[in-house]
Amino acid sequence: MQASRARLFKEYKEVQREKVADPDIQLVCDDSNIFKWTALIKGPSETPYEGGVFQLAFSVPEQYPLQPPQVRFLTKIFHPNVHFKTGEICLDILKNAWSPAWTLQSVCRAIIALMAHPEPDSPLNCDSGNLLRSGDVRGFQSMAKMYTRLAAMPKKG
Amino acid sequence: MVYDSIANASIPTAASNSKDFGKKKRVNRTAKLKQSKLDVRREQWLSQVKNRGFKEETKATRVTKMAAPETHAATEREHSIVKLEISVGGEENESLMNNYSDSESPSNSPTSHTSSVSESNISVTNFTGSSSRSSCGSSSSSGDCCSGSMTDEEDDEDDGCLDDWEAIADALAAADDIQKSPVDEHPLTPPEPEQPVLTPAGSTNFRAWRPDDVSRPQSLPNLVKQNSFPMKSGSSAFPSSCPICCEDLDMTDSSFLPCPCGYRLCLFCHKRILEDNGRCPGCRKQYESHGNAASSKLGRCHSMNPSCH
């Protein structure tokens, strides 16, 4: 409990310092609860998510950092490893490959990497996974681009 | 290099002093004997400068007083060289102190070092300048000889110092020969300033120099400075707090290396990881190979230090 607070406070200070260093990640802590964080990440370039801004919700357990934070997409995203309705993310470092050496910031980086390199063999979004597994990359990209434009880009007009 | 030049510049004055006082004119002494004697003398005035606060003033005033009458020119020369040496010694010690304080300053950057070097260079030039001036005032021939050899000394840095000692010794011997009789008229005056020189030497010779000692010879290596570098790099190489729980690492934690990958963490977090999945946070390998040793060490730590919990 105290350890997780101290650790999160240190990460908070680190984030304040590194805000300029990583322009793709904006990590903010809830005003009243240090165990609730939200992050805004930019879709990586040369992917169908380019140009979109995706919101993530972090729920940090009290056993953190021995237990991984729970992360989900608040922004709709068409991705094989993200549940389309709940935003749940299938990422090994958020499950069994978690290490206490990871931070919330590094989790954000891992999620950006996952957006650039989807893993269709363990899909949470079966439609997306099936498109990629059948080799229809163009179909996947157009769907993902459409949802990025619908959900992750500022509305025009 | 600069410290050497200071030391070398100081030795001739000591040489003149010992040469004047030892009125046996054995010019053909071996260089080795001379050097040992000069070293002792140098130690003496280095330790003497501790009391220089009042001594220097009185000597200085006496120098000016005695420079006025023309009749006792020879004894004046004797005195003024002695006083000159003391006052110059004080002045030089100031520069030494400046150097020392520079080297003691918290920033161990090379720039501060160069600044101290330049400062000491300046002080050396001041030293020769003042000595030539005052010695010119008191007596022309030997004073010029003295200052001239001193500037030579400064140019030759360290190699030619022994030769210069010889030159000074010869020059002073010649000067003594010329003014032998006035020196003998006042046989008691030279030992008078020598006695306070000898007493501190006896007390200070056999004790070690403290690093903050004012009269510490600058030629001694500065251990504090040398130690500060590895200490600094060492503290930056290891994390001061546990990367998992962000608590400060104590002595036991700092020497605790649970995984060959080198990932450090506190014993408390290590125990919690062992209870959980037992994998190193740094490399994800199982701790099990070191598990037994680590857990026994862990138990001992916890029994010793309940503040871990």
Side-chain angles (χ1 to χ4, degrees), chain B residues 107-110 223-235:
Chain B
S107 64
N108 284 321
S109 62
L223 291 175
V224 180
K225 201 176 171 185
Q226 283 175 3
N227 282 339
S228 70
F229 282 108
M231 294 269 282
K232 244 183 187 173
S233 63
S235 65

Side-chain angles (χ1 to χ4, degrees), chain A residues 3 6-7 10 65-67 93 96-97 99-102, chain B residues 241 243-247 263 272-273 276 279 281-282 284:
Chain A
R7 162 72 181 249
K10 191 187 176 190
L66 296 183
Q67 295 291 315
I93 63 139
N96 50 5
S99 160
W102 287 80
Chain B
S241 63
I244 310 300
C245 65
C246 304
E247 298 290 326
Y263 191 85
R272 295 211 322 184
I273 287 171
D276 191 31
R279 290 190 304 183
R284 291 212 186 93

Side-chain angles (χ1 to χ4, degrees), chain A residues 1-15 27 29 33-37 57-71 93-95 97-109, chain B residues 242-247 263 265-266 268-269 272-273 276 281:
Chain A
M1 174 73 178
Q2 283 307 317
S4 57
R5 265 179 204 279
R7 162 72 181 249
L8 283 169
F9 189 66
K10 191 187 176 190
E11 284 193 38
Y12 178 76
K13 286 198 284 187
E14 199 83 358
V15 162
L27 195 59
C29 177
N33 188 355
I34 203 170
F35 293 102
K36 299 286 180 195
W37 293 62
F58 285 80
S59 178
V60 184
E62 292 196 348
Q63 292 79 29
Y64 182 83
L66 296 183
Q67 295 291 315
Q70 293 177 322
V71 192
I93 63 139
L94 294 176
K95 305 281 189 309
W98 169 255
S99 160
W102 287 80
T103 63
L104 301 183
Q105 184 94 5
S106 60
V107 166
C108 290
R109 282 195 203 105
Chain B
C242 173
I244 310 300
C245 65
C246 304
E247 298 290 326
Y263 191 85
L265 70 172
C266 73
F268 183 49
C269 288
R272 295 211 322 184
I273 287 171
D276 191 31

Side-chain angles (χ1 to χ4, degrees), chain B residues 3-38:
Chain B
Y3 297 156
D4 286 344
S5 71
I6 288 177
N8 292 336
S10 69
I11 285 165
T13 54
S16 67
N17 201 13
S18 68
K19 215 46 195 166
D20 286 333
F21 289 142
K23 282 190 287 295
K24 317 271 176 131
K25 293 188 182 53
R26 285 183 283 150
V27 187
N28 292 330
R29 263 183 289 192
T30 62
K32 194 179 172 184
L33 183 68
K34 219 184 292 178
Q35 191 168 2
S36 64
K37 197 171 178 181
L38 293 179

Side-chain angles (χ1 to χ4, degrees), chain B residues 31-147:
Chain B
K32 194 179 172 184
L33 183 68
K34 219 184 292 178
Q35 191 168 2
S36 64
K37 197 171 178 181
L38 293 179
D39 282 345
V40 169
R41 181 57 65 122
R42 187 162 159 271
E43 290 289 311
Q44 283 174 2
W45 70 254
L46 272 173
S47 57
Q48 185 200 18
V49 188
K50 272 195 292 188
N51 326 338
R52 82 186 160 83
F54 69 98
K55 203 171 278 179
E56 192 186 351
E57 288 174 21
T58 54
K59 304 297 180 191
T61 51
R62 280 171 69 179
V63 168
T64 49
K65 274 179 195 169
M66 298 181 80
E70 291 289 318
T71 49
H72 301 288
T75 51
E76 270 165 35
R77 190 190 65 83
E78 288 284 327
H79 275 277
S80 62
I81 285 179
V82 173
K83 316 305 180 214
L84 175 68
E85 182 223 328
I86 290 163
S87 60
V88 158
E91 184 181 336
E92 193 181 337
N93 197 60
E94 258 178 27
S95 73
L96 290 181
M97 279 161 67
N98 285 341
N99 281 340
Y100 192 70
S101 63
D102 270 355
S103 64
E104 278 291 290
S105 65
S107 64
N108 284 321
S109 62
T111 51
S112 76
H113 185 68
T114 49
S115 75
S116 75
V117 163
S118 63
E119 196 181 334
S120 60
N121 271 334
I122 290 165
S123 65
V124 165
T125 50
N126 281 342
F127 161 60
T128 49
S130 65
S131 64
S132 61
R133 248 187 289 120
S134 47
S135 56
C136 278
S138 57
S139 75
S140 55
S141 61
S142 65
D144 281 341
C145 146
C146 232
S147 64

